Amino acid sequence: MLREHGMHVTAQRLAVLRAVSDLPHSTADDIFTAVHAELGAISRQAVYDSLAALTDRGLFRRIQPAGSSARYETRVGDNHHHLVCRSCSRMVDVDCAVGATPCLTASDDSGYEIDEAEVVYWGRCPDCAAAPAGEDVAQ
Ligand SMILES: [Zn+2]
Ligand SMILES: [Zn+2]
């Protein structure tokens, strides 16, 4: 995958790639923790730099819901959407409801060349909805 995207293969990038693929929608901190557990000596900055480089090259999609840290995933290029729990911040994928990219068709594009639409559904996940009122499910 790295070579296909014209990137040098390093242990660090492989570990970051594996972590994001194993833990979709994880934050940079989560990814640092996973990569650190695998490689040992690696700086937070090095992990953040790899994340940025891989995102720039299109291997990762970066999602930043309002009020949340940025999340990363390897499912790119299909314009899928996300459900976010307001209580525990868990995020899951939602496919487009109909067709390939229906949300790319704006009712009025004002002359813009649109290439992405971002839809975030907010609510409470089943665990949080089932928890007694006022109690958030611990992550
Ligand atoms: Zn929840
Ligand atoms: Zn996703």
Side-chain angles (χ1 to χ4, degrees):
M1 248 173 115
L2 289 165
R3 284 192 201 101
E4 269 172 30
H5 285 79
M7 298 184 81
H8 292 294
V9 178
T10 63
Q12 183 177 308
R13 283 175 182 165
L14 283 176
V16 169
L17 199 53
R18 198 172 305 131
V20 175
S21 137
D22 289 349
L23 308 161
H25 312 128
S26 46
T27 63
D29 274 351
D30 297 334
I31 295 156
F32 169 74
T33 304
V35 170
H36 191 262
E38 185 181 332
L39 295 183
I42 185 164
S43 72
R44 197 169 284 269
Q45 193 56 48
V47 169
Y48 290 5
D49 288 348
S50 287
L51 274 174
L54 291 161
T55 304
D56 281 350
R57 292 299 183 105
L59 278 90
F60 294 158
R61 178 169 166 196
R62 184 178 185 276
I63 319 122
Q64 182 143 29
S68 161
S69 311
R71 320 282 191 97
Y72 296 86
E73 66 183 345
T74 54
R75 183 175 164 182
V76 296
D78 70 348
N79 192 58
H80 72 273
H81 306 308
H82 294 97
L83 264 164
V84 186
C85 176
R86 288 187 194 280
S87 298
C88 70
S89 302
R90 192 184 313 166
M91 186 188 282
V92 296
D93 289 337
V94 185
D95 290 338
C96 284
V98 274
T101 50
C103 304
L104 294 185
T105 311
S107 53
D108 176 5
D109 65 15
S110 300
Y112 282 54
E113 282 180 22
I114 299 171
D115 60 28
E116 185 175 344
E118 202 171 72
V119 179
V120 179
Y121 300 91
W122 293 90
R124 291 206 296 161
C125 72
D127 288 349
C128 290
E135 258 182 54
D136 286 350
V137 174
Q139 274 268 58

